[in-house]
């Protein structure tokens, strides 16, 4: 953890060398996700509810997914740029250092310009939390925290999966963006609006729904079972195959060197 | 003590052929070619030895270094460095080695060199007192005082290489691997780097393994040369011994002699 903070400081110091670029990128990130917000807004000027969710309820969902994604992206950017790290030989450097390899990849990049998105998500929370009609008892607060943290870890797992696959293909695989960026974009609305098959896929295969729609139903008081509150924790199981695949890829790398 | 015994390594390389139709064909069925990068490599290096590892491009130098650093796993054979197998006990092993890849940097581009050093200290968990002592020593020896506060992007190549070498030694490794440490340096920097390495080896007894194409590096530094070609060790001996192999070689410069050797072995 100490080392994490040290790296954090170094990345911050590096990026502050280019203040203008930093601010403009952060602003850009903010505007892009703001347009997503507007999309939802205009949708609701025509319809009062989407599949039984009001504007404020949907915003809560939007904020959870955006926050989870942005935190994961800010901290797990190293995986996103992993194909480059493999290509330019930086990864060999990680292998000659006495630290865990996944940890080092994670530390290799941090992108603070993504703060624009984090701020946006925070603003939406500020609006949606009091207006969503949720009675904020302690269990609801815990649920919300679980949704954001576990969601962030699941996105993190997706980034790790992306990195693991690039061991086998060298080039990064754009199709993975369907789940990462796509997860963020489609996650603006509760996943149940996309129909049963997609919901099933997002429950059992790529468990984005486990930290989104199910605990959301609990938050809104539509279900009362505590199970729904704890489903975000179940989504963490997704990290197991991600880590295993990365390990497998690492073993292959060590025997092929490319 | 480094000991390699019959190390073999084969790479599978996709055959690439010219022409559009063949490129399309390659999308569906790739033909692979097995390239023998290392073919039965064995040698021993004693503690405190300084060894030059030479050979033409693609001979297998980097592959050997990568195996000794624990980055690659060989197909067969054994490699033991201070009693450890690099790819099996990676973390314990890499604590004891320093690696300089001449073509790549381990310094942070945008922050002062001193900060990069500090971070490396934290990665290797070097305790404060011995870190300060090592850093002072390296700063003096490599003349880094003026440049420690400079970000790496503003350093000249020579200055950067001096910093790279210092960065690889902050944790006082027993063995130092240098992959083309003088590539692209001017005469003054080359001499400074050589003198430093020589002193390091003499005073600290650090084992040094050096790959280079610059024969003056070899002349200035190493007692012993390993010549590798097509994945095999072709010669193992001192520069003087190599020169004695044939009468013409006596009048040649080292560069000419090595070129003659490459021709002789057809590598």
């Amino acid at each position: 953890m100490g080392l994490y903070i040290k790296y954090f400081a170094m990345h911050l110091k590096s990026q502050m060398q280019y203040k203008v670029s930093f601010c403009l990128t952060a602003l850009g990130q903010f505007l892009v996700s703001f347009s997503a917000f507007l999309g939802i807004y205009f949708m609701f000027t025509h319809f009062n509810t989407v599949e039984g969710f009001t504007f404020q309820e949907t915003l809560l969902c939007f904020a959870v997914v955006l926050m989870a994604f942005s935190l994961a992206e800010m901290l797990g950017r190293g995986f996103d740029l992993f194909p480059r790290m493999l290509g330019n030989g930086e990864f060999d450097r990680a292998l000659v250092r006495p630290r865990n390899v996944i940890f080092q990849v994670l530390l290799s990049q941090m992108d603070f310009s993504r703060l624009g998105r984090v701020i946006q998500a925070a603003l939406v929370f500020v609006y949606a939390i009091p207006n969503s009609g949720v009675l904020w008892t302690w269990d609801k607060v815990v649920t919300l925290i679980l949704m954001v943290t576990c969601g962030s870890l699941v996105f993190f797992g997706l980034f790790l999966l992306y990195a693991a696959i690039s061991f086998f293909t060298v080039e990064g695989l754009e199709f993975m963006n369907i789940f990462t960026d796509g997860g963020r974009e489609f996650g603006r609305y509760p996943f149940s609006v996309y129909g049963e098959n997609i919901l099933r896929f997002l429950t059992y295969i790529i468990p984005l729904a486990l930290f989104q729609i199910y605990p959301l139903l609990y938050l809104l008081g539509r279900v009362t079972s505590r199970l729904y509150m704890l489903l975000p924790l179940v989504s963490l199981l997704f990290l197991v195959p991600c880590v295993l695949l990365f390990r497998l890829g690492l073993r292959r790398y060590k025997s092929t060197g490319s | 003590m480094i000991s390699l015994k019959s190390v073999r390594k084969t790479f599978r390389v996709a055959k690439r052929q010219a022409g559009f139709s063949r490129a399309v064909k390659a999308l569906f069925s790739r033909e692979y070619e097995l390239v023998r990068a290392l073919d039965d490599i064995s040698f021993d290096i004693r503690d405190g030895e300084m060894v030059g590892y030479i050979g033409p491009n693609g001979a297998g130098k980097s592959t050997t270094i990568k195996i000794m650093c624990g980055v690659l796993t060989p197909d067969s054979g054994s490699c033991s460095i201070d009693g450890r197998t690099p790819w099996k006990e990676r973390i314990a092993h890499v604590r004891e080695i320093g690696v300089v890849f001449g073509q790549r940097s381990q310094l942070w581009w945008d922050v002062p060199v001193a900060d990069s050093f500090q971070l490396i200290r934290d990665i290797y968990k070097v305790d404060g007192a011995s870190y300060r002592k090592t850093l002072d020593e390296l700063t003096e020896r490599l003349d880094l005082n003026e440049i420690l506060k400079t970000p790496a992007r503003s350093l000249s190549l020579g200055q950067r290489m001096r910093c790279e070498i210092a960065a690889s030694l902050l944790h006082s490794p027993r063995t130092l691997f240098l992959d083309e440490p003088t590539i692209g340096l001017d005469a003054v920097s080359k001499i400074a780097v050589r003198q430093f390495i020589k002193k390091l080896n003499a005073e600290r007894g650090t084992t040094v393994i050096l790959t280079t194409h610059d024969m003056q590096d070899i002349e200035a530094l190493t007692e012993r040369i390993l010549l590798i070609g097509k994945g095999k060790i072709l010669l193992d001996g001192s520069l003087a011994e190599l020169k004695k192999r044939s009468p013409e070689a006596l009048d040649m410069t080292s560069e000419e002699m090595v070129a003659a050797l490459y021709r002789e072995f057809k590598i």
Side-chain angles (χ1 to χ4, degrees), chain A residues 69 132 173 194 204 210:
Chain A
F69 179 85
S132 57
L173 279 180
Y194 301 108
Y204 299 108
L210 290 186

Side-chain angles (χ1 to χ4, degrees), chain A residues 6-15, chain B residues 108 111 115-116 119:
Chain A
K6 300 257 167 58
Y7 263 91
F8 193 88
M10 282 290 266
H11 283 293
L12 205 58
K13 226 187 253 181
S14 287
Q15 288 178 28
Chain B
W108 287 61
V111 295
D115 291 357
S116 292
L119 192 68

Side-chain angles (χ1 to χ4, degrees), chain A residues 131-200:
Chain A
N131 292 312
S132 57
V134 174
L135 203 61
W136 292 101
T137 49
W138 69 269
D139 56 326
K140 301 282 168 82
V141 175
V142 171
T143 310
L144 191 68
I145 293 171
L146 280 179
M147 286 164 84
V148 173
T149 48
C150 296
S152 183
L153 286 165
V154 170
F155 276 121
F156 200 82
L158 280 170
F159 287 133
L160 182 60
L161 196 63
Y162 172 82
I165 292 175
S166 49
F167 272 123
F168 300 93
T169 60
V170 183
E171 284 297 308
L173 279 180
E174 293 299 319
F175 86 85
M176 281 298 292
N177 292 350
I178 297 173
F179 303 119
T180 52
D181 293 324
R184 184 195 70 218
E185 290 303 313
F186 293 119
R188 287 183 288 181
Y189 299 99
F191 285 125
S192 57
V193 308
Y194 301 108
E196 226 164 83
N197 284 331
I198 289 189
L199 183 63
R200 215 171 282 146

Side-chain angles (χ1 to χ4, degrees), chain B residues 96-113:
Chain B
E96 302 289 341
I97 62 167
V99 192
V100 176
F101 296 113
Q103 319 249 34
R104 287 179 221 144
S105 180
Q106 57 174 320
L107 302 169
W108 287 61
W109 200 238
D110 291 317
V111 295
V113 174

Side-chain angles (χ1 to χ4, degrees), chain A residues 2-3 6-15 17-18 88-101 104 107-109 250-258, chain B residues 9-11 66 69-75 87 90-91 94-95 97 99-101 104-106 108-112 115-116 119-125 151 153 164 168:
Chain A
L3 190 64
K6 300 257 167 58
Y7 263 91
F8 193 88
M10 282 290 266
H11 283 293
L12 205 58
K13 226 187 253 181
S14 287
Q15 288 178 28
Q17 292 278 315
Y18 306 98
N88 67 15
E90 279 294 307
F91 188 61
D92 289 350
R93 176 58 65 186
L95 286 174
V96 299
R97 287 197 163 145
R99 293 292 184 138
N100 178 286
V101 175
Q104 288 190 70
L107 294 176
S108 69
Q109 297 282 338
L250 179 62
R251 216 162 66 207
R252 189 188 124 100
Y253 178 84
K254 286 180 128 189
S255 68
T256 59
S258 61
Chain B
K9 180 83 208 165
T10 314
F11 292 117
K66 280 183 179 175
C69 293
V71 173
L72 277 181
T73 319
D75 298 339
W87 57 92
R90 187 183 72 84
I91 291 192
V94 296
R95 235 184 262 285
I97 62 167
V99 192
V100 176
F101 296 113
R104 287 179 221 144
S105 180
Q106 57 174 320
W108 287 61
W109 200 238
D110 291 317
V111 295
D115 291 357
S116 292
L119 192 68
I120 291 170
R121 182 199 96 100
D122 293 318
I123 293 171
Y124 285 92
K125 300 180 190 155
R153 62 158 191 266
E164 295 285 346
S168 303

